[in-house]
């Protein structure tokens, strides 16, 4: 019923709805309406009330609420099932639990704060409350385990397209899993899979996107390498709008790029946004360190690095510095 009251206020955003209308439409007493209004106000919704005119929600606050997250979400798989936490260890860890117990494809776990946010190789991911998008999406793609890097590539392109659409910002992609702006990291992606060589049981794609963090919100040790939408654009953004945009773009990339063999097209978009293509880089990979020219990306999502002796090394995962 709380959701229904909120939906009515959202349907009339910026306008008053009378208590009587709400009570009649939802079949609850005026006292019950007032109770839900008080509840929503306590959650941070700024609702004006007037004895004559009723209730008015002036603007949509930046709250992670299932109603706000699913309203107008135009997807058929991703985000049809959402789990929201005010604080959690790691959304990836939670999504893996859910995936193991059979959660359906497209299930999304979102947290306002992570206290054990993780990056690759056991690194930590800074995830303070109320300021970022810390979310994980469960996918069950029909790919071989060799093609897993494709998932990260698809997601990076989706985040970049979503940011263009919902935040009017042009970002670059730094292989394999960084979305960057002005050379600094705006978003990191962590893809974890439970797979056998020929089949992926599930993939959990974690997205950490710095939205409304100020420079001071970033711990000192990452201030030189990290940024946020707020720092780049000088204003705050509504996280739910960006989340919906990411889910929409991801679903498109998933259906057209990963499922229907359209990966070559997706790779073109990735290359267009790549900040390393054609540049001299250093890569620290699992098999050692390499220097050379980033020549291209393989259909499996690997990086082709042309070494100084002319050989081309195919690298599946690693950290790149320019
Ligand atoms: C990543 O790892 O970039 C993957 C980050 C994935 C985070 C999401 S949040 C939702 C989901 N749940 C999780 O627990 N994780 C995922 P990697 O490439 O290893 O980069 C990690 C490095 O980025 C750290 O060692 C820091 O140097 C830097 N870093 C940490 N927090 C950052 C932040 N908020 N913004 C930018 N850089 C950060």
């Amino acid at each position: 019923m709380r959701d229904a009251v909120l939906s009515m206020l959202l349907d009339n955003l910026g306008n008053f709805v009378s208590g009587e209308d709400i009570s009649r439409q939802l079949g609850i007493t005026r006292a019950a309406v007032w109770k839900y209004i008080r509840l929503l106000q306590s959650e941070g919704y700024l609702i004006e009330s007037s004895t004559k005119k009723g209730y008015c929600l002036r603007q949509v606050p930046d709250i992670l609420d299932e109603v706000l997250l699913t309203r107008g979400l135009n997807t058929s798989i991703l985000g049809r099932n959402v789990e929201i936490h005010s604080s959690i260890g790691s959304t990836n860890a939670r999504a893996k639990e859910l995936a193991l117990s059979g959660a359906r494809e497209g299930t999304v776990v979102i947290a306002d704060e992570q206290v054990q946010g993780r990056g690759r190789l056991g690194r930590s991911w800074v995830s303070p409350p109320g300021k970022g998008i810390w979310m994980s999406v469960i996918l069950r793609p029909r790919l071989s385990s060799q093609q897993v890097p494709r998932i990260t590539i698809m997601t990076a392109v989706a985040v970049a397209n979503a940011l263009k659409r919902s935040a009017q910002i042009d970002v670059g992609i730094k292989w394999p899993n960084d979305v960057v702006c002005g050379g600094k990291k705006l978003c990191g992606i962590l893809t974890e899979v439970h797979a056998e060589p020929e089949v992926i049981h599930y993939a959990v794609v974690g997205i950490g996107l710095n939205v409304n963090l100020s420079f001071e919100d970033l711990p000192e040790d990452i201030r030189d390498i990290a940024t946020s939408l707020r720092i780049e654009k000088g204003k705050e953004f509504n996280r739910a709008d960006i989340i919906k945009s990411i889910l929409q773009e991801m679903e498109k990339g998933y259906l057209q790029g990963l499922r229907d063999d359209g990966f070559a097209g997706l790779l073109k978009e990735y290359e267009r946004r790549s900040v390393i293509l054609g540049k001299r880089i250093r890569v620290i990979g699992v098999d050692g360190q390499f220097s050379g020219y980033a020549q291209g990306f393989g259909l499996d999502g690997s990086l082709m690095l042309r070494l100084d002796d002319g050989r081309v090394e195919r690298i599946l995962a690693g950290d790149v510095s320019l």
Side-chain angles (χ1 to χ4, degrees), residues 90-92 114 116-120 123-126 133-136 177-178 185 188-190 206-208 210 218 222 225-226 319:
S90 150
T91 56
N92 260 41
Q114 291 186 121
Q116 276 179 318
R118 293 184 291 111
R120 294 174 303 154
R123 297 177 195 136
S124 63
W125 184 259
V126 173
I133 293 173
W134 328 122
M135 76 168 174
S136 303
N177 67 321
D178 291 356
K185 187 157 169 168
I189 298 161
L190 176 66
I207 299 171
N210 301 327
L218 295 167
I222 61 166
I225 57 161
D319 283 295

Side-chain angles (χ1 to χ4, degrees), residues 22-245:
I22 302 178
S23 116
R24 194 159 11 88
Q25 250 196 55
L26 303 181
I28 55 176
T29 64
R30 298 280 296 269
V33 173
W34 176 233
K35 192 186 84 186
Y36 289 116
I37 296 284
R38 292 287 296 269
L39 173 67
L40 290 166
Q41 285 172 330
S42 73
E43 292 173 16
Y45 289 91
L46 292 174
I47 301 167
E48 265 176 58
S49 73
S50 137
T51 33
K52 273 213 195 112
K53 293 186 279 183
Y55 306 104
C56 170
L57 179 65
R58 287 265 171 231
Q59 57 188 38
V60 183
D62 185 26
I63 294 175
L64 299 178
D65 184 313
E66 192 165 343
V67 174
L68 300 180
L69 285 169
T70 48
R71 224 180 132 75
L73 178 66
N74 197 3
T75 54
S76 55
I77 308 172
L78 269 61
R80 298 329 307 175
N81 187 23
V82 183
E83 190 179 278
I84 303 169
H85 297 264
S86 54
S87 182
I88 197 170
S90 150
T91 56
N92 260 41
R94 174 64 187 148
K96 282 200 275 184
E97 270 174 26
L98 289 172
L100 260 181
S101 58
R104 78 165 123 122
E105 177 167 70
T107 297
V108 176
V109 180
I110 302 178
D112 202 49
E113 169 192 45
Q114 291 186 121
V115 291
Q116 276 179 318
R118 293 184 291 111
R120 294 174 303 154
L121 307 169
R123 297 177 195 136
S124 63
W125 184 259
V126 173
S127 325
K131 308 226 166 175
I133 293 173
W134 328 122
M135 76 168 174
S136 303
V137 181
I138 298 173
L139 297 176
R140 300 186 186 276
R142 273 169 285 157
L143 297 174
S144 69
S145 55
Q146 263 193 337
Q147 295 168 322
V148 166
R150 284 187 177 194
I151 303 171
T152 305
I153 286 186
M154 178 278 283
T155 306
V157 170
V159 169
N161 287 341
L163 289 178
K164 176 78 187 165
R165 196 147 60 85
S166 58
Q168 292 76 50
I169 189 169
D170 270 308
V171 295
I173 300 174
K174 187 167 155 218
W175 183 89
N177 67 321
D178 291 356
V179 173
V180 296
C181 194
K184 294 182 167 187
K185 187 157 169 168
L186 184 63
C187 167
I189 298 161
L190 176 66
T191 303
E192 297 184 282
V193 296
H194 177 45
E196 288 168 50
E198 291 310 316
V199 51
I200 297 178
H201 297 294
Y202 67 76
V204 164
V205 189
I207 299 171
L209 172 63
N210 301 327
V211 181
N212 293 325
L213 286 83
S214 66
F215 185 68
E216 291 72 33
D217 290 324
L218 295 167
E220 264 168 40
D221 59 323
I222 61 166
R223 280 187 188 168
D224 289 342
I225 57 161
T227 190
S228 72
L229 289 179
R230 176 174 156 182
I231 295 170
E232 296 301 324
K233 299 289 282 187
K235 62 172 186 168
E236 300 209 346
F237 291 86
N238 183 286
R239 286 173 296 165
D241 289 343
I242 297 175
I243 290 169
K244 283 189 273 194
S245 192

